[in-house]
Amino acid sequence: MRAKIIGTGSCLPDRSVTNDYLSTIMDTNDQWIQSRTGIRERHLVSSQQETTLSLAVNAAKAALTDSGLLPEQIDLILVATVSSDYITPSAACMVQKELGAHRAVSFDINAACSGFLFALNTVDAYFQAGIYQTALIIGVETLSKIIDWSDRSTCVLFGDGAGAVVAKASEGGMIASLQGSDGTGGDILTCKNRTNNNPFVSTDANPDYLYMNGQEVFKFAVKKVPECIQSLLEQAGEDASHVTYYLLHQANYRIIASIARKLKLPIEKFPSNVDHCGNTSAASIPILLDEIHKEGKLSEGDLIVLSGFGAGLTWGAALLQW
Ligand code: ACO
């Protein structure tokens, strides 16, 4: 049995922040941001009521409604995030409590922008092993709290949000998947901020925020993602042209366009929401999936490739039938 997605949901914070608004609080402008990234606006949490947990729970409730399953029918909850509200309990356990999904084994996965893909692949492996039959998978981030708002080259890129899917063990659904990691490249995208309370360890505990070497991340993404998708399709024995949509991690429209060119595929096969969401890291793929599902763009039997890349370094892809 493989993982078949039977419901999707998403939640963006209420407040949308445009490039023009950012240009009133820092030295930037709409033309620079749009031409380099395709981003026009992003949603950012703007009250203490909007948290990683609240976004995750809203997305999860929408996905459950769409799937027709009740919280108590869920066996497994995986949350992909690097911006959980707490170190412990995990975001997944907090979501479980809020939903009343009392049967669900719940834990988080930290694989940055590849997190949703890694969580989906983990669920698929559990289903193939016959251990669980239903799962709720959430990608959620409130990166706005770990961004360096004095670094204009990174802070303009990111947005907050959550996307969720409900998956069921089925004969159809997931066809092939692969994932990879390269810790030796980890220094190009980091967030080392952790307070050390150990009285026996002296630290120079300066606050540290999300750091990115943008050009290196760009090079990594445009090389690794096409390779990863080509290997995935070879593994499945599937022709790239038969895939209806390629849903890539929404980091930057230039990266998406470059990947489409490298794969020699029309850009129409690469839906994007980076213009109004920015880069929502682990949440970007499930938010995009929910958007195109709700727009009625997916038909039963369509082949879809999902592919993510991010800090770690990590990357992954999955081919599934809708
Ligand atoms: N507004 C205006 N000017 C800016 C801004 C800004 N927000 N940020 C930087 N600049 C300036 C720089 O100061 C520099 O000025 P200078 O030439 O006078 O020194 C100039 O713009 C060019 O800066 P670069 O950093 O060289 O800009 P680049 O063309 O490389 O674009 C970008 C930067 C958009 C980050 C690019 O490297 C990129 O797209 N990288 C991919 C990274 C990415 O998408 N990461 C996503 C997060 S990671 C993940 O999701 C996996």
Side-chain angles (χ1 to χ4, degrees):
M1 298 289 236
R2 304 295 300 256
K4 183 170 178 63
I5 293 174
I6 59 164
T8 68
S10 61
C11 177
L12 297 175
D14 290 338
R15 181 161 184 176
S16 157
V17 178
T18 62
N19 295 342
D20 283 335
Y21 182 82
L22 287 183
S23 73
T24 66
I25 58 171
M26 67 185 74
D27 182 15
T28 189
N29 58 77
D30 180 55
Q31 196 276 334
W32 191 97
I33 301 171
Q34 281 218 46
S35 64
R36 282 184 168 72
T37 69
I39 298 166
R40 243 181 330 108
E41 59 185 324
R42 72 289 292 142
H43 290 252
L44 300 173
V45 298
S46 58
S47 77
Q48 289 182 5
Q49 282 67 48
E50 283 184 321
T51 59
T52 294
L53 178 62
S54 75
L55 298 176
V57 167
N58 287 340
K61 284 181 176 169
L64 282 165
T65 302
D66 191 39
S67 75
L69 291 191
L70 298 169
E72 53 269 34
Q73 292 176 287
I74 298 295
D75 298 334
L76 177 64
I77 298 176
L78 296 190
V79 175
T81 187
V82 295
S83 50
S84 184
D85 299 319
Y86 295 169
I87 293 174
T88 194
S90 67
C93 283
M94 292 161 75
V95 168
Q96 179 204 21
K97 176 182 163 196
E98 290 296 314
L99 295 177
H102 56 88
R103 292 180 48 246
V105 171
S106 308
F107 60 94
D108 292 355
I109 286 186
N110 177 337
C113 308
S114 311
F116 177 79
L117 250 302
F118 280 30
L120 178 64
N121 291 342
T122 304
V123 163
D124 186 52
Y126 273 118
F127 287 179
Q128 287 190 70
I131 297 171
Y132 301 120
Q133 275 71 49
T134 55
L136 172 63
I137 309 165
I138 303 167
V140 56
E141 304 287 5
T142 52
L143 291 179
S144 54
K145 69 190 177 205
I146 57 171
I147 285 167
D148 181 355
W149 283 96
S150 68
D151 175 8
R152 64 178 182 167
S153 67
T154 54
C155 71
V156 301
L157 304 175
F158 295 97
D160 300 330
V165 303
V166 174
K168 195 168 178 221
S170 309
E171 296 296 345
M174 187 81 100
I175 297 167
S177 67
L178 59 83
Q179 54 197 8
S181 308
D182 175 13
T184 64
D187 284 347
I188 65 173
L189 191 46
T190 61
C191 184
K192 301 177 183 171
N193 194 13
R194 279 283 194 269
T195 311
N196 190 336
N197 289 328
N198 182 340
F200 304 100
V201 177
S202 64
T203 57
D204 50 346
N206 294 320
D208 182 68
Y209 301 101
L210 191 124
Y211 160 81
M212 180 180 72
N213 180 332
Q215 288 174 2
E216 288 303 315
V217 173
F218 197 103
K219 282 190 249 167
F220 156 67
V222 298
K223 180 171 186 300
K224 191 54 86 177
V225 177
E227 285 173 7
C228 180
I229 291 175
Q230 271 160 350
S231 305
L232 175 81
L233 293 171
E234 273 168 33
Q235 180 190 321
E238 195 52 77
D239 192 286
S241 65
H242 295 163
V243 174
T244 309
Y245 288 122
Y246 292 80
L247 304 186
L248 307 187
H249 167 49
Q250 301 289 298
N252 176 318
Y253 193 73
R254 281 195 308 157
I255 293 178
I256 296 166
S258 165
I259 292 167
R261 273 196 307 276
K262 281 199 169 173
L263 291 170
K264 298 188 172 52
L265 291 167
I267 192 71
E268 291 71 29
K269 282 185 179 285
F270 293 75
S272 174
N273 63 10
V274 75
D275 62 329
H276 62 273
C277 290
N279 178 350
T280 57
S281 188
S284 84
I285 293 174
I287 293 173
L288 180 62
L289 181 63
D290 184 50
E291 282 187 6
I292 65 165
H293 173 42
K294 298 286 157 58
E295 287 165 11
K297 290 183 174 164
L298 294 172
S299 305
E300 198 173 339
D302 278 352
L303 293 177
I304 304 168
V305 165
L306 311 179
S307 183
F309 60 93
L313 299 170
T314 56
W315 59 92
L319 172 68
L320 45 98
Q321 189 152 38
W322 191 250

